Amino acid sequence: MNEQAKGNGVPLSAHVREEIDHWVAKFPEGRHRSAVIGALHAAQHENGGYLTPEIMTAVAEYLKLPPIQVFEVASFYSMFETKPVGRHSISVCTNISCMLRGGEEILAHVEKRLGIKAGQSTPDGKFYLKVEEECLAACCGAPMLMIDHVYHENLTPQSIAEILELVKD
Ligand code: FES
C-alpha cells in the first residue's frame, strides 16, 4: 500500500501498516475500502483508545481513499472514539436481554463505583465508560459488560468490584 501515508505529518507505525495490509489482503483486489474498520481498529488501539483527525487522514491516505470514507465509518460505529478517552474502555450492555436481567442496575453500579456517568472517563484517565452499548451477542450470559474486548457475564455488584480491581493501569 501507500508507504508514504503520513496524514498531515502523523505517520502510521509499521505495526499499524502491517495490520492494514493484513485486512486488505482479505478482500478482492480493489476492494480495500472493506479494510477500513480493521484499519481504524488497529490505529485506535495503538493510539490509546481513540482516533484523531490526523490518524484518520493517514488511514485514508494509506488505503488511497477520500478521507470522508474513513471519517464516516469512525463516526458511525460505536467501537470507535474520536475524542480522548480513558485507557480502558467499559461497555455495559443495556439491551433487552441484559435489561431484563438487571443491566441498567449494573450500569448504575459501575457509574457509582467509578464516580462518573456513562460517556465520561475517570479523572485519572484509567477508565472510559461508553455512553451506550447495543447487544454484544452474549445474551445467554446476561447481564454482561465488556472491558477492552474481554467479556464478563452473569454480573453481580460483587463480581463487578472484582473485575474492576483486576484491570491493570
Ligand atoms: S442483550 Fe446484552 S448481550 Fe445481548
Side-chain angles (χ1 to χ4, degrees):
M1 296 303 294
N2 180 5
E3 293 294 324
Q4 301 307 310
K6 285 196 164 65
N8 300 333
V10 178
L12 297 176
S13 72
H15 174 69
V16 169
R17 293 199 311 267
E18 213 173 276
E19 280 284 309
I20 296 175
D21 292 346
H22 164 80
W23 285 103
V24 167
K26 288 181 177 288
F27 301 104
E29 187 69 31
R31 299 287 183 162
H32 45 279
R33 189 176 175 190
S34 301
V36 169
I37 288 180
L40 288 176
H41 213 267
Q44 174 171 274
H45 184 74
E46 189 158 287
N47 193 52
Y50 69 99
L51 297 161
T52 64
E54 292 79 13
I55 290 171
M56 290 186 273
T57 301
V59 168
E61 287 178 10
Y62 192 72
L63 288 170
K64 298 188 179 125
L65 294 171
I68 184 63
Q69 291 184 353
V70 172
F71 279 63
E72 64 191 8
V73 170
S75 59
F76 180 79
Y77 289 104
S78 67
M79 70 269 229
F80 298 121
E81 304 300 333
T82 53
K83 60 176 176 27
V85 293
R87 297 182 295 284
H88 300 284
S89 175
I90 304 175
S91 304
V92 180
C93 179
T94 51
N95 214 281
I96 188 71
S97 300
C98 287
M99 184 187 75
L100 292 171
R101 300 260 300 156
E104 288 177 346
E105 288 78 14
I106 294 295
L107 175 60
H109 185 80
V110 174
E111 286 180 330
K112 188 170 169 209
R113 185 159 188 96
L114 296 180
I116 56 173
K117 291 288 180 194
Q120 297 177 338
S121 297
T122 52
D124 62 1
K126 182 172 180 182
F127 291 110
Y128 169 52
L129 183 55
K130 288 181 80 84
V131 70
E132 188 181 359
E133 196 59 82
E134 298 302 330
C135 177
L136 288 166
C139 307
C140 58
M144 63 82 67
L145 61 71
M146 177 175 73
I147 303 180
D148 297 337
H149 315 298
V150 177
Y151 281 24
H152 301 275
E153 303 176 14
N154 300 303
L155 297 170
T156 64
Q158 179 58 31
S159 67
I160 289 170
E162 290 164 6
I163 290 163
L164 292 175
E165 287 295 321
L166 287 175
V167 179
K168 304 248 186 300
D169 278 344

